[in-house]
Amino acid sequence: MSEREYILRVKDLVIEFKTEKGIIRAVDGVSFDVRKGEPLGIVGESGCGKSVTSLSILRLIPEPPGKIASGSIELDGVDMVQLSKQEVRQMRGKTASMIFQEPMTALNPVYTVGNQMCEVIRVHQDVSKKEALQIAEDMLKTVDIESPEKRLKQYPHELSGGMRQRVMIAMALSCNPKLLIADEPTTALDVTVQAQVMEEIERIQKEREMGLILITHDLGVIAEACERVIVMYCGKIVEVAPTEELFRKPKHPYTKGLLASIPKVREEKLETLPTIEGMVPDLAELPVGCRFADRCPKVQKRCRLEEPRLDVVGTDREVSCFYPD
Ligand SMILES: Nc1ncnc2c1ncn2[C@@H]1O[C@H](COP(=O)(O)OP(=O)(O)OP(=O)(O)O)[C@@H](O)[C@H]1O
Ligand code: SF4
Ligand SMILES: [Mg+2]
C-alpha cells in the first residue's frame, strides 16, 4: 500500500515517564498504521499504554514527566514528533482530533457552548463569528442535539452528561478531521446513553469516511465498530488482526484469555475489560523474556529467556508470541 493511503503511521514509538521508581517505559516500541477511513480498535488491560499511545499522536502527553523518547508518528504524512508547539496546534482539530472519557476535561466551564465551538472553528477556518455560529449549530444537529440554537447559549454544566459528550464530539468534528481518536468515549455515561453516543460516532465515521482510533473495554463495541483491532499488553502490541478473525481465531494467549473470559450471556454491560488470572508486571521491574509469561498457560523455557517480537502472520495479522495458535 502506498504512503498516501495511510492517515497515521506510528513507528517504533517509545514513551517514557519519570516516576519515583525511576524511568518507566509506558509504551515500548509500538508500531501500527491506520488507513484512511479505517476504524481501528485498541484493547488491553488498564495501564497497558492505550491512552498514552493515543495522546502522543496529538502530542498531548504531559511533558514532563512524560517524553517521547524515540520513534515517529506520521499524521497525514507529517512527523508529529518533530513539530514545534505552534505547528502541533495547527494539526490539532484539523487533521486529527480527540474525544475523552470525561467531557468536562475538554470543555471550559466559564464559556458558553457556542463560544467554545466558535473558537475551535475559527482557529482553522477563516470565517466570521456569525458564520462560525452557523457551522456550530449545524454540527450540533449532526450529533442529534435538539434545539441547537438554545444549546449554543448554554454553559456546559447546564447540559446532561450525554449532551456534553455530544457537544464534545461536535466540537471534535467541527473542522472535519481526517482522524478521530476516541479514548473510552462513553464510559462515563449511563448505559442507555452509551449506546446512542456510540451509534453517533459510528455513523459519522462511516458518512465522512474518517479514520477512527477507538479505545474501549467493551469488546462488543469493538466488534461492531472496528475493522481491525490492536491488542496491547504492558506497553507493547501483542496482536493485530481484522476484527472478525481476532474474535474467531485469536492467536496470542493473552487475546485468547480476554475473549474466553467474556460471559457468554451478557446480562448487563461489562464495566471493565474481562479479567485474566494473575498480575500485570510492574513497568519498573519487567521480567526478562515475554511479559505475559507469568500468566500464560502456554509458557515454555524459551519464553523466560527471550522476548518475542511482533511478527507478520499471513497477509494481515501480526502476533508477538513464540507459540501462537
Ligand atoms: N502522568 C503520568 N506519570 C507517570 N506515569 C504515567 C503517567 N501517565 C501514564 N503513566 C503510566 O503509563 C502507563 C500507561 O498508562 P495509560 O494511561 O496509557 O494506560 P491505559 O491503557 O490507557 O489504561 P486504562 O485502561 O486504565 O485507561 C501506566 O503504567 C501509567 O502508570
Ligand atoms: S511467548 Fe510464551 S509466554 Fe509469551 S505469550 Fe507466547 S507462549 Fe505465552
Ligand atoms: Mg486509558
Side-chain angles (χ1 to χ4, degrees):
M1 203 174 293
S2 77
E3 283 300 313
R4 300 207 69 95
E5 285 173 89
Y6 294 104
I7 183 62
L8 181 72
R9 309 206 77 174
V10 174
K11 241 197 195 120
D12 302 323
L13 182 65
V14 176
I15 299 169
E16 294 177 341
F17 282 95
K18 258 203 185 109
T19 70
E20 286 158 13
K21 291 184 186 172
I23 290 174
I24 58 150
R25 286 197 164 181
V27 172
D28 191 3
V30 159
S31 302
F32 66 96
D33 300 322
V34 183
R35 298 174 191 127
K36 289 192 171 160
E38 179 187 39
L40 174 82
I42 304 184
V43 296
E45 266 159 309
S46 187
C48 70
K50 305 181 297 293
S51 295
V52 170
T53 300
S54 65
L55 286 167
S56 72
I57 298 167
L58 285 173
R59 296 280 304 275
L60 290 169
I61 298 207
E63 298 177 37
K67 184 177 117 190
I68 298 179
S70 58
S72 60
I73 302 171
E74 265 184 39
L75 179 60
D76 207 16
V78 177
D79 186 359
M80 294 298 283
V81 179
Q82 305 302 331
L83 296 188
S84 67
K85 280 194 178 137
Q86 172 71 25
E87 292 165 320
V88 165
R89 269 196 289 275
Q90 285 301 314
M91 301 291 283
R92 282 186 199 148
K94 189 162 166 269
T95 311
S97 58
M98 186 152 185
I99 51 180
F100 305 89
Q101 181 170 338
E102 181 37 72
M104 283 313 268
T105 55
L107 297 174
N108 191 325
V110 303
Y111 294 110
T112 61
V113 167
N115 267 334
Q116 299 188 50
M117 290 191 71
C118 284
E119 204 184 300
V120 172
I121 292 164
R122 293 183 74 190
V123 169
H124 297 296
Q125 300 176 54
D126 187 17
V127 292
S128 69
K129 177 100 199 268
K130 205 172 152 214
E131 289 166 312
L133 267 175
Q134 188 56 54
I135 297 173
E137 192 177 320
D138 292 344
M139 280 316 305
L140 291 184
K141 276 187 207 149
T142 308
V143 294
D144 278 339
I145 289 184
E146 278 173 39
S147 28
E149 335 70 58
K150 186 177 133 202
R151 301 298 177 198
L152 286 172
K153 296 195 188 87
Q154 291 183 312
Y155 290 88
H157 71 263
E158 297 177 83
L159 309 175
S160 69
M163 194 82 79
R164 281 202 286 259
Q165 194 59 312
R166 282 170 203 262
V167 167
M168 186 160 66
I169 296 169
M171 245 161 85
L173 295 174
S174 58
C175 297
N176 238 328
K178 296 176 189 169
L179 177 70
L180 178 70
I181 304 162
D183 189 356
E184 305 272 5
T186 63
T187 321
L189 307 174
D190 290 341
V191 174
T192 46
V193 186
Q194 282 185 358
Q196 292 163 9
V197 169
M198 208 43 239
E199 269 167 36
E200 216 66 71
I201 295 175
E202 269 182 74
R203 180 177 61 77
I204 294 166
Q205 184 273 323
K206 288 203 180 78
E207 270 173 24
R208 300 191 174 196
E209 293 178 33
M210 192 174 54
L212 172 70
I213 295 179
L214 178 65
I215 298 171
T216 170
H217 59 254
D218 191 330
L219 296 168
V221 166
I222 293 268
E224 192 149 302
C226 300
E227 281 170 24
R228 245 170 5 118
V229 194
I230 286 177
V231 184
M232 287 187 72
Y233 186 76
C234 212
K236 295 207 159 196
I237 293 178
V238 294
E239 183 159 10
V240 185
T243 311
E244 206 236 333
E245 285 182 40
L246 186 98
F247 278 76
R248 199 160 39 87
K249 269 190 175 171
K251 288 190 186 290
H252 195 282
Y254 175 64
T255 317
K256 249 187 129 168
L258 277 187
L259 297 175
S261 47
I262 303 177
K264 288 280 179 291
V265 184
R266 294 222 283 154
E267 280 166 1
E268 50 190 292
K269 256 186 136 54
L270 292 173
E271 292 298 328
T272 52
L273 202 69
T275 46
I276 299 170
E277 255 181 67
M279 296 264 286
V280 184
D282 186 341
L283 286 173
E285 291 164 52
L286 285 172
V288 180
C290 177
R291 297 175 183 196
F292 190 56
D294 277 347
R295 303 167 82 187
C296 183
K298 293 180 74 177
V299 60
Q300 307 206 19
K301 204 167 158 201
R302 183 181 180 193
C303 311
R304 304 219 183 252
L305 301 170
E306 268 175 78
E307 194 164 8
R309 281 185 335 188
L310 188 64
D311 283 324
V312 178
V313 187
T315 51
D316 51 3
R317 300 190 63 157
E318 287 168 82
V319 63
S320 163
C321 172
F322 294 126
Y323 310 102
D325 274 14

